[in-house]
Amino acid sequence: MPSSPTHSTYRPDIDGLRAIAVLAVVLFHGFPQTFRGGFIGVDVFFVLSGYLISRIIFEQLNQDTFKFFDFYARRIKRIFPALLIVLVAVYIAGWFTLLADEYGQLGQHIAAGAAFISNFVLWGEAGYFDNSAHTKPLLHLWSLGIEEQFYIVWPLLLWLASKLRFSLFALTLILAALSFYMNVTGIKSDAVATFYSPQTRIWELLIGSGLAWCAVYKKDALADVVISIDKCVWRHKTVADPVRVYTRMANILSCLGFILLIYSLIRFNRDLQFPGKWALIPVLGTAFIVAAGPFTWLNTKILSNKVLVWFGLISYPLYLWHWPLLSFAWIVEASPPSASTRLGLILLSIALAWLTYRLIERPIRFGKHGGLKVCLLVVLMLILGGVGLGTYYERGFPFRKNVQLADALYTTEAHNIEANLVASYRNYAGGEPGHSSKPVVLIIGDSYNPNWSVGLSTVIDTKQYDIVSVSYLGCKVNVTAEKISAIAREQKFERYCQPFERWINDPSVIRRLAVVMLVSYRPFEYEVNKFRFDVLRELKKKNSQFDLFVFGNYFQLDPEQYSSCEKLMYRTGRRADLCLELADYPKKQTNRESLPLYPHDLKFAYVDLIGLTCHQDKTGCPTEAQGVPFISDSHHLNATFIAKLMRDLQATQSAKLEDLGLRKYLVNRSGP
């Protein structure tokens, strides 16, 4: 019986597979529209890491030579040197290029990277107010965090299982199955958590661990299985040449693995619910290639060629270097870097990776004084993590860059106009009608609500109407016939959810409702925001007489590309007209709202701000009010600008406001 080809000390084909994985990720980050499926390179890395690390552990447990100190010392010498160099370089670059809030966040990310918990920190940041991924130079460390967490826990579990004489393969299989189940079910309920959580990702590494177990404990098992399959397929009673049969089937397995990887690279894109069930395709593809062994034709001729093996050797520092370079280019230019710039930065990252590998990584990994090096690396990582944490707590050292950006963007007077306007209306717009008998204007929404309530309050006739302004930001809303409940998804959102529940159920408010104004981000995504419509329906049941207005068609940047209009203005020296030029709507005519998805049973008036305030060709849109830009981040309109728009509408579009039914709720003005 032939031995499985997986029994080999060093496999150059695995380095070749590493090269494909890292190049896929690098090209995806550099040219996401061309290499759309390149992100699966991370999944390839997970399988390979699980295989290589687990094989070391299994072999040493089998020989009763496993020692925790030796294992973690090797990991530290492998992981820490390149990571330290990159973290220091990023910190220095950030000092000269990042604004205070960005630098404070970078400090937090450096601390998280040093502690290998980047996935948890990024998981906590993900959400409505998260800034663009391109402005996070250490975003890619999430995957390193998952791997290191695996390296910390997995050896201990295997050691305990071996001492208790529990099957190591059974342990691997059970944990992999449980993790995969959590991955498939979790992707539907919380895609962000499923992406970053080690519990939902660890199955990918455990697939590699299963292969390692077979390579160590069942060296001939794969050959036996392959020959059995060959007998069934060709209906042979005996096999004349087992080696030839095994080689043929191993080549088929390797080819199948390549097909699955190529399919993933070509067909996958960011619109997939990933990882989920889709991750099984690249994971199995990688597993098939590894299981086929180093002596198949594809593994020998393609994966083991010198170029790919060389890229495989520098894959780790290349992964560390490429994203910070691309990210800083994006930050400095305040827009996507040109294709030639991105290509140049990728080539630079390759050069830096090679230098890091030759001058830093190899001497530390393979030189003398291993124990001293380990201690020094740990101390340096602790110091760097402390520096990052200090930078975070010091809010990015605002003395370097003005955190408010006011002086650089527009006059201090204009900045104060916005601040004073918000402050002057904050209490009133909170809605305290008390025992008033006046009709109520109810303004509801998400994070748009505060500024919109302030802006609308400047034009609503408060002599005739009381204003109640409530936000459901961060709330899980449940609508029943008895009550509308709002539970905060996180503790920080309780300050929104409690007032929302209070006022939305207040009989004195509902009884006096004259109008409801809905102001929210993408208010017409029905499946995502069904509760909004259920709330309005319930209010209609209790008071069918109020008018409903939905404010839409907001000026907006693509938040995935431009996290802040203010920062665009700061870095380019341009005024807010730059943000309008880059906006999805109106200049690019990409309307992010879908009016037809709004339920037909709810009668409402749709207030198209851009349609009412811009010229017919969408080129004459206003961008400032009293020196205040129309947006600060990517899509939240400033209160001063909203107030200006509403005054302009009163002055120039009075007839249209009358047609919409909105005119009667506003202060009677003869001019702006």
Side-chain angles (χ1 to χ4, degrees):
M1 189 67 62
S3 295
S4 168
T6 55
H7 183 58
S8 174
T9 303
Y10 169 69
R11 291 184 53 173
D13 59 313
I14 288 184
D15 269 330
L17 202 50
R18 276 176 169 164
I20 291 176
V22 74
L23 291 174
V25 173
V26 169
L27 291 173
F28 167 70
H29 285 155
F31 305 94
Q33 300 304 318
T34 303
F35 299 94
R36 298 183 302 169
F39 57 85
I40 62 102
V42 173
D43 304 274
V44 175
F45 271 125
F46 283 162
V47 177
L48 296 179
S49 295
Y51 172 79
L52 294 169
I53 293 302
S54 297
R55 179 158 183 171
I56 293 171
I57 300 172
F58 286 139
E59 287 177 342
Q60 293 181 352
L61 287 175
N62 191 39
Q63 299 167 7
D64 198 25
T65 59
F66 178 78
K67 295 180 181 179
F68 284 102
F69 178 81
D70 291 343
F71 175 82
Y72 290 119
R74 283 194 298 270
R75 290 293 86 210
I76 289 170
K77 288 190 290 183
R78 172 75 172 93
I79 299 297
F80 279 33
L83 181 60
L84 279 167
I85 293 298
V86 171
L87 291 180
V88 169
V90 167
Y91 188 81
I92 294 172
W95 178 274
F96 296 102
T97 59
L98 298 183
L99 303 173
D101 63 324
E102 296 169 332
Y103 200 53
Q105 185 184 62
L106 179 66
Q108 183 186 32
H109 290 178
I110 286 175
F116 302 104
I117 56 170
S118 293
N119 54 316
F120 292 115
V121 172
L122 293 166
W123 176 3
E125 290 176 354
Y128 193 65
F129 292 104
D130 192 20
N131 55 305
S132 170
H134 300 93
T135 63
K136 298 181 178 182
L138 297 176
L139 177 72
H140 61 323
L141 294 188
W142 71 268
S143 61
L144 185 61
I146 289 179
E147 286 197 14
E148 293 305 310
Q149 290 151 26
F150 175 77
Y151 297 158
I152 292 171
V153 175
W154 187 231
L156 179 61
L157 289 178
L158 291 178
W159 180 80
L160 287 173
S162 67
K163 293 300 181 183
L164 297 173
R165 298 184 182 280
F166 187 82
S167 170
L168 302 183
F169 184 72
L171 176 66
T172 304
L173 189 63
I174 292 170
L175 292 179
L178 180 61
S179 174
F180 182 71
Y181 173 78
M182 294 172 66
N183 159 57
V184 173
T185 56
I187 197 69
K188 299 176 183 178
S189 58
D190 194 338
V192 173
T194 305
F195 185 87
Y196 285 118
S197 172
Q199 294 96 316
T200 53
R201 284 287 197 162
I202 214 74
W203 67 274
E204 301 181 48
L205 292 110
L206 291 172
I207 292 292
S209 299
L211 292 173
W213 184 88
C214 292
V216 173
Y217 293 100
K218 298 291 183 181
K219 299 176 183 177
D220 297 329
L222 182 58
D224 293 337
V225 171
V226 166
I227 291 173
S228 298
I229 293 173
D230 187 79
K231 287 180 181 179
C232 293
V233 172
W234 304 107
R235 298 182 180 179
H236 295 316
K237 293 183 179 180
T238 59
V239 176
D241 190 349
V243 174
R244 183 177 180 182
V245 169
Y246 180 85
T247 302
R248 179 175 63 198
M249 294 302 292
N251 275 290
I252 293 174
L253 193 64
S254 177
C255 287
L256 180 59
F258 268 90
I259 290 171
L260 292 177
L261 287 185
I262 292 171
Y263 175 84
S264 303
L265 290 169
I266 294 175
R267 300 295 297 174
F268 282 15
N269 58 64
R270 288 183 292 185
D271 295 332
L272 288 177
Q273 282 192 318
F274 200 86
K277 61 183 179 181
W278 294 106
L280 196 60
I281 296 176
V283 166
L284 286 180
T286 306
F288 289 163
I289 293 172
V290 173
F295 304 119
T296 63
W297 188 89
L298 287 173
N299 291 29
T300 302
K301 299 299 182 181
I302 296 179
L303 293 181
S304 298
N305 77 78
K306 293 182 179 180
V307 175
L308 282 183
V309 169
W310 182 81
F311 272 105
L313 292 173
I314 67 167
S315 60
Y316 173 58
L318 176 55
Y319 183 78
L320 292 180
W321 278 114
H322 84 282
W323 179 251
L325 293 176
L326 292 170
S327 176
F328 275 116
W330 191 294
I331 291 169
V332 171
E333 295 185 16
S335 61
S338 66
S340 58
T341 298
R342 281 173 278 156
L343 180 59
L345 291 173
I346 289 174
L347 295 175
L348 176 60
S349 67
I350 294 172
L352 289 173
W354 180 79
L355 290 173
T356 303
Y357 175 75
R358 293 291 299 176
L359 303 180
I360 306 295
E361 185 177 321
R362 281 185 60 84
I364 292 177
R365 283 182 66 189
F366 304 114
K368 299 179 181 180
H369 312 295
L372 179 61
K373 290 176 182 177
V374 169
C375 293
L376 183 60
L377 289 170
V378 171
V379 170
L380 289 175
M381 191 65 78
L382 289 173
I383 292 173
L384 185 56
V387 170
L389 205 58
T391 303
Y392 170 69
Y393 284 122
E394 289 297 324
R395 302 179 183 273
F397 305 119
F399 64 83
R400 301 176 313 102
K401 305 276 186 179
N402 187 349
V403 71
Q404 296 296 336
L405 304 180
D407 295 334
L409 296 174
Y410 43 94
T411 65
T412 302
E413 180 184 1
H415 182 265
N416 290 336
I417 287 173
E418 171 75 5
N420 292 335
L421 179 66
V422 173
S424 64
Y425 279 92
R426 180 172 295 143
N427 293 331
Y428 185 81
E432 291 291 345
H435 299 289
S436 170
S437 60
K438 291 189 293 186
V440 170
V441 174
L442 176 62
I443 307 173
I444 63 174
D446 46 23
S447 64
Y448 280 24
N449 187 266
N451 281 2
W452 271 89
S453 295
V454 172
L456 290 171
S457 295
T458 63
V459 294
I460 292 174
D461 188 351
T462 54
K463 293 182 179 180
Q464 300 293 324
Y465 300 97
D466 281 328
I467 298 176
V468 175
S469 169
V470 287
S471 172
Y472 48 75
L473 175 64
C475 308
K476 183 178 181 181
V477 178
N478 183 40
V479 181
T480 65
E482 294 78 23
K483 186 181 181 181
I484 299 172
S485 302
I487 303 173
R489 296 182 185 273
E490 299 178 36
Q491 187 175 1
K492 63 182 178 181
F493 294 121
E494 286 184 1
R495 63 192 179 102
Y496 299 111
C497 303
Q498 290 179 358
F500 178 78
E501 180 174 321
R502 172 192 171 196
W503 288 110
I504 214 75
N505 291 294
D506 191 322
S508 69
V509 172
I510 297 174
R511 182 177 63 252
R512 294 184 288 119
L513 273 183
V515 58
V516 174
M517 298 180 175
L518 177 63
V519 291
S520 59
Y521 183 55
R522 301 191 189 185
F524 305 121
E525 292 183 355
Y526 184 79
E527 292 300 325
V528 177
N529 301 302
K530 179 178 179 295
F531 79 85
R532 297 174 180 171
F533 313 134
D534 291 342
V535 168
L536 295 174
R537 288 192 184 97
E538 188 62 25
L539 291 177
K540 277 290 187 182
K541 289 179 183 178
K542 297 176 180 179
N543 181 350
S544 61
Q545 301 305 311
F546 70 81
D547 294 327
L548 174 61
F549 294 94
V550 177
F551 290 84
N553 270 2
Y554 309 115
F555 305 77
Q556 52 199 303
L557 297 168
D558 182 348
E560 293 185 2
Q561 296 193 56
Y562 310 101
S563 63
S564 169
C565 175
E566 284 189 339
K567 291 173 183 177
L568 274 171
M569 294 167 63
Y570 173 82
R571 290 194 164 101
T572 61
R574 293 276 303 275
R575 302 296 297 181
D577 60 299
L578 170 65
C579 304
L580 183 63
E581 291 177 9
L582 298 173
D584 284 349
Y585 195 81
K587 287 298 286 290
K588 292 185 178 181
Q589 298 294 296
T590 303
N591 192 341
R592 285 179 171 263
E593 297 178 348
S594 301
L595 188 58
L597 292 180
Y598 200 91
H600 296 292
D601 61 308
L602 282 170
K603 295 181 180 180
F604 66 97
Y606 181 67
V607 184
D608 180 350
L609 282 183
I610 292 177
L612 292 173
T613 56
C614 297
H615 295 163
Q616 191 66 31
D617 59 1
K618 302 295 189 292
T619 59
C621 304
T623 58
E624 294 184 2
Q626 297 176 271
V628 180
F630 63 104
I631 54 177
S632 298
D633 52 16
S634 63
H635 56 92
H636 288 84
L637 293 177
N638 285 318
T640 307
F641 185 75
I642 295 171
K644 177 184 185 302
L645 285 188
M646 295 306 301
R647 290 195 299 269
D648 289 349
L649 289 178
Q650 285 182 280
T652 63
Q653 303 292 342
S654 182
K656 290 184 179 179
L657 293 179
E658 191 72 39
D659 293 339
L660 289 169
L662 184 61
R663 182 69 184 84
K664 62 183 177 181
Y665 299 106
L666 307 181
V667 177
N668 184 23
R669 297 176 186 272
S670 57

